[in-house]
Amino acid sequence: MKDTRIAKDGLVLLGCGKMGSAMLAGWLARGLPTSSVYVIDPKPSDWLKEQGVQLNVDLPKEPAVVLVAVKPQMMGDALPTLQAMGNGKTVFVSVAAGTTIATFEKTLGAQTPIVRAMPNTPAAISQGITAIVGNDHVDAKGMDEAEELLSAVGDVVRLEEESQIDAVTGVSGSGPAYVFHMIETMAAGGIAQGLSPELALKLATATVAGAGALAKSADEGPDQLRINVTSPNGTTQAALDVLMNEQDGFPVLLKRAVAAAADRSRELSNG
């Protein structure tokens, strides 16, 4: 890990569940010294106990970064314990869904550098994508530190303003569930056409995973990739005539789904 300030002043990880563990594994693999990592977790896993990090011990007074990875409902109990680090140089990075920057500022102090992040579940296997946005007190160095830490579990993009988090939630935050449901329904379609459940699920899962990998690595956009595999009046065209229908196909359905998730994100953020 390039950032010597984190190695020197320390990194505090508040909560080490699936997401926290994935990030910690990535940091250690990149060379962050275990002595620089302080983890607070009331129920540490056996894996965490074996990593050699500073576990549930006294924290440095002014660590470089505090990464908050507890569940939103645990935030009320966890955050006040870190109040003494607020309004200083310590950058707080939160991956807690639905917790606004204003909520952190209210608890930690209005001058606290805060970065809000929205990762998604593929981060658990370092295949995620995370969107980040900082308040006015985070300098360029702090944003770079947050990006470097979160890049341990996948790609990172920067937002222009916090309100975009809700749209990100609708696309990538909740998005993996849409894809999982697509796998389910593709498999169900295969079963209806005479395949065994096991074979249909294997075909659907491999197809979605492979198409996603191709879309990510190809120079062409998804529209051109779709055209490449669609012969005029062929089998794929017959299916796309159903899926691309403007009345009840993917265009209208997924737009509604993303909007529903984004709207619910706004409701949760507003309490």
Side-chain angles (χ1 to χ4, degrees):
M1 185 165 281
K2 299 174 186 175
D3 198 300
T4 54
R5 190 171 87 93
I6 291 177
K8 174 175 163 287
D9 295 339
L11 164 67
V12 174
L13 176 60
L14 182 60
C16 197
K18 287 185 179 179
M19 188 70 70
S21 295
M23 289 189 290
L24 177 57
W27 302 334
L28 297 180
R30 290 182 174 193
L32 184 63
T34 55
S35 59
S36 300
V37 182
Y38 297 78
V39 179
I40 304 173
D41 194 290
K43 297 179 181 178
S45 65
D46 291 339
W47 175 84
L48 176 56
K49 293 175 185 176
E50 295 167 358
Q51 298 313 301
V53 298
Q54 310 287 328
L55 180 58
N56 295 327
V57 299
D58 291 340
L59 302 177
K61 289 185 178 180
E62 196 173 63
V65 176
V66 172
L67 199 143
V68 182
V70 296
K71 294 183 184 301
Q73 55 267 34
M74 297 169 63
M75 197 72 73
D77 294 330
L79 267 192
T81 64
L82 304 175
Q83 273 182 328
M85 299 176 187
N87 289 333
K89 295 180 181 178
T90 298
V91 178
F92 282 77
V93 180
S94 168
V95 296
T99 306
T100 63
I101 288 174
T103 299
F104 282 93
E105 290 175 338
K106 186 176 180 181
T107 304
L108 299 169
Q111 307 301 312
T112 306
I114 298 162
V115 177
R116 184 179 174 189
M118 170 55 67
N120 60 3
T121 52
I125 57 167
S126 298
Q127 293 293 318
I129 186 162
T130 303
I132 62 173
V133 62
N135 66 1
D136 292 339
H137 303 293
V138 184
D139 59 17
K141 180 72 171 172
M143 289 298 291
D144 288 344
E145 288 171 343
E147 181 169 339
E148 183 179 10
L149 288 170
L150 293 165
S151 69
V153 291
D155 295 336
V156 179
V157 296
R158 298 192 187 192
L159 305 181
E160 295 176 4
E161 53 191 44
E162 187 181 10
S163 61
Q164 292 176 307
I165 283 278
D166 300 308
V168 170
T169 300
V171 177
S172 60
S174 299
Y178 317 159
V179 178
F180 299 148
H181 185 53
M182 182 179 178
I183 293 172
E184 287 181 286
T185 53
M186 282 178 66
I191 293 167
Q193 293 300 315
L195 297 176
S196 71
E198 294 80 8
L199 179 56
L201 182 58
K202 186 171 184 177
L203 289 169
T205 302
T207 298
V208 170
L214 179 59
K216 190 173 181 179
S217 64
D219 293 331
E220 299 164 308
D223 53 344
Q224 187 59 49
L225 292 174
R226 169 180 51 78
I227 292 169
N228 292 349
V229 297
T230 307
S231 302
N233 299 316
T235 59
T236 306
Q237 184 64 61
L240 288 176
D241 287 344
V242 176
L243 295 175
M244 296 178 71
N245 187 291
E246 292 289 345
Q247 277 70 51
D248 58 4
F250 275 179
V252 64
L253 188 62
L254 283 176
K255 189 174 182 180
R256 281 172 49 205
V258 170
D263 288 344
R264 183 58 179 148
S265 177
R266 292 184 189 97
E267 290 173 4
L268 292 171
S269 293
N270 292 331

